[in-house]
Amino acid sequence: MAILVTGGAGFIGSNFVLEWFAKGSEPVVVLDKLTYAGNPDNLASLREDERLTFVRGDIGDRPLVASLLAKHQVRAVLNFAAESHVDRSIHGPGEFIQTNVVGTFELLEAVRAYWTALEAGPKEAFRFLHVSTDEVYGSLSDDAPAFTETHQYQPNSPYSASKAASDHLVRAYHHTYGLPVLTTNCSNNYGPYHFPEKLIPLILLNALAGKPLPIYGDGKNVRDWLFVTDHCSAIRRVLEAGRPGETYNVGGRNEMTNLEVVQTLCSILDELRPSQSGRSYWEQVHFVKDRPGHDRRYAIDASLIERELGWLPAETFQSGIRKTVEWYLSHPEWVQGVVSGAYREWVTKQYGS
Ligand code: NAD
Ligand code: DAU
């Protein structure tokens, strides 16, 4: 028996696999296409570990998924694989539809065929856990209550629309075929192995390189930040005890404006790695053109997972963000491996020269 983790070489997927083996020893099969965001180095510490099988491939490759499910007698599929960056979805939505919608559909079809043929016991115990996002709910006004699981879907970017479509497919496979699915909708994650196209690692690396720190619009957009290992513990808990067909919102009750996040990063860096110029990193901040359709505020009401499954985050933003800065400062080789030609091309496309 094993679990199949799609997208296990990405930011959250790789943290999940590392945490899984830190807590237990059930084998894991990682299926990852290794797009620009997938990095086998994230799993380097497991390279000699026989409990991990790594397969480079696409969740949309139905025969490949079917063979992996059968060969490894998979008892659960955790679907992290996705195109995940909002700005990239604005430049080119096609890949987002292909992986997040069509890929999820193909994955569900392979899983449905496998699950249908299982014997009663394994069939009853089988789970398909779909990792989704709070962005499917759209944007909140400043004083609106946080998103609950029954908040209407109102996705605003091609990324969030493609994730919403995948959530609907997952829901339909439960309702129509009885597939035992679980969906998690989580808020913004941060932590080790975060690809530096996203706000927190981008600010960290730009600050250290003496480059401008780009803040979109007025910097007052609000995100609800959660340390990545807390997201991983929520997923483990939902897999273990979640009710099939249910959706669980996951978040740290930690709303911050982008300005507050960047200020925090600059002051930790000022303390741990002061700039040679003697100036605060904050002086590198540049306000730049806003993201088109930029959602103003996300906030998660995590009452259901807290009450029903007893899950709570272990990190505060203060403890998690310090760990994150320390991790980036102590892993220059990982950073060097990531900041490749392809990454530089993206930065030029998005921010200009
Ligand atoms: P990521 O972009 O860092 O990683 C995605 C991984 O999926 C990469 O390893 C990539 O190679 C792989 N992948 C992409 N297309 C694939 C395909 N067709 N077949 C197989 N593998 C493929 O993303 P992430 O930040 O780790 O997010 C993981 C999941 O969590 C996504 O579904 C995302 O929507 C969701 N999520 C992310 C956040 C966040 O803050 N990062 C918050 C909530 C939910
Ligand atoms: O809410 C969950 C989502 O969080 C996930 O589903 C996505 O996969 C993940 O990428 C993240 O989406 P965001 O768009 O919120 O994350 P990002 O890091 O791109 O941006 C965070 C905020 O910072 C957002 O308001 C935009 C802003 N920003 C971002 C970048 C890259 C800037 O001001 N400047 C930047 O250069």
Side-chain angles (χ1 to χ4, degrees), residues 108 166-177 179 181 183 245 247:
L108 280 165
S166 67
D167 292 9
H168 291 320
L169 282 170
V170 170
R171 179 191 150 84
Y173 273 62
H174 176 70
H175 192 78
T176 306
Y177 305 114
L179 190 70
V181 306
T183 299
T247 288

Side-chain angles (χ1 to χ4, degrees), residues 10-12 32-33 35 38 58-59 80 84 99 132 159 163 189:
F11 164 46
I12 306 175
D32 198 296
K33 190 176 167 182
T35 66
D58 195 320
I59 55 167
F80 293 84
S84 69
T99 283
S132 192
Y159 162 68
K163 289 297 290 187
N189 285 213

Side-chain angles (χ1 to χ4, degrees), residues 6-14 31-39 57-60 79-85 98-100 103 130-134 159 163 184-190 193-195 197-198 225 231:
T6 74
F11 164 46
I12 306 175
S14 60
L31 172 63
D32 198 296
K33 190 176 167 182
L34 295 184
T35 66
Y36 75 93
N39 184 352
D58 195 320
I59 55 167
N79 185 30
F80 293 84
E83 288 294 332
S84 69
H85 190 34
Q98 197 53 42
T99 283
N100 300 359
H130 182 58
V131 180
S132 192
T133 168
D134 58 359
Y159 162 68
K163 289 297 290 187
T184 53
N185 292 87
C186 188
S187 60
N188 286 61
N189 285 213
Y190 66 98
Y193 305 108
H194 205 180
F195 192 79
E197 63 189 353
K198 309 281 170 64
W225 294 95
H231 187 189

Side-chain angles (χ1 to χ4, degrees), residues 11-12 82-87 96 132-136 147 157 159-160 163 185-189 194-203 206 213-225 256-259 261-262 286-291 294-298 300 346 350-351:
F11 164 46
I12 306 175
E83 288 294 332
S84 69
H85 190 34
V86 173
D87 293 322
F96 288 72
S132 192
T133 168
D134 58 359
E135 299 204 11
V136 298
F147 301 128
S157 71
Y159 162 68
S160 54
K163 289 297 290 187
N185 292 87
C186 188
S187 60
N188 286 61
N189 285 213
H194 205 180
F195 192 79
E197 63 189 353
K198 309 281 170 64
L199 179 72
I200 287 180
L202 181 92
I203 294 295
N206 278 16
L213 310 182
I215 298 189
Y216 297 161
D218 63 3
K220 294 193 181 145
N221 302 66
V222 172
R223 298 292 183 264
D224 187 350
W225 294 95
M256 294 178 81
T257 65
N258 295 335
L259 282 173
V261 169
V262 175
H286 279 235
F287 288 88
V288 299
K289 195 159 131 320
D290 209 354
R291 171 186 282 174
H294 196 176
D295 284 339
R296 192 67 176 168
R297 173 177 167 241
Y298 305 140
I300 279 281
W346 162 253
Q350 174 67 5
Y351 302 98

Side-chain angles (χ1 to χ4, degrees), residues 65-123:
V65 175
S67 75
L68 293 177
L69 293 170
K71 181 174 170 196
H72 297 278
Q73 295 177 49
V74 169
R75 70 156 181 101
V77 174
L78 290 92
N79 185 30
F80 293 84
E83 288 294 332
S84 69
H85 190 34
V86 173
D87 293 322
R88 285 187 193 253
S89 83
I90 295 167
H91 283 285
E95 280 297 312
F96 288 72
I97 304 304
Q98 197 53 42
T99 283
N100 300 359
V101 187
V102 180
T104 304
F105 160 70
E106 294 291 347
L107 179 66
L108 280 165
E109 278 293 273
V111 168
R112 179 166 77 91
Y114 170 75
W115 171 77
T116 303
L118 287 175
E119 291 184 3
K123 191 173 186 177

Side-chain angles (χ1 to χ4, degrees), residues 40-68:
D41 285 351
N42 297 2
L43 299 172
S45 60
L46 297 170
R47 216 159 258 158
E48 305 298 321
D49 196 318
E50 290 182 351
R51 298 168 302 174
L52 176 68
T53 305
F54 184 87
V55 178
R56 183 174 191 179
D58 195 320
I59 55 167
D61 184 343
R62 211 189 293 186
L64 172 65
V65 175
S67 75
L68 293 177

Side-chain angles (χ1 to χ4, degrees), residues 322-334:
R322 188 166 274 272
K323 282 185 181 176
T324 304
V325 177
E326 285 167 351
W327 188 88
Y328 277 88
L329 290 177
S330 59
H331 288 78
E333 70 300 336
W334 184 89

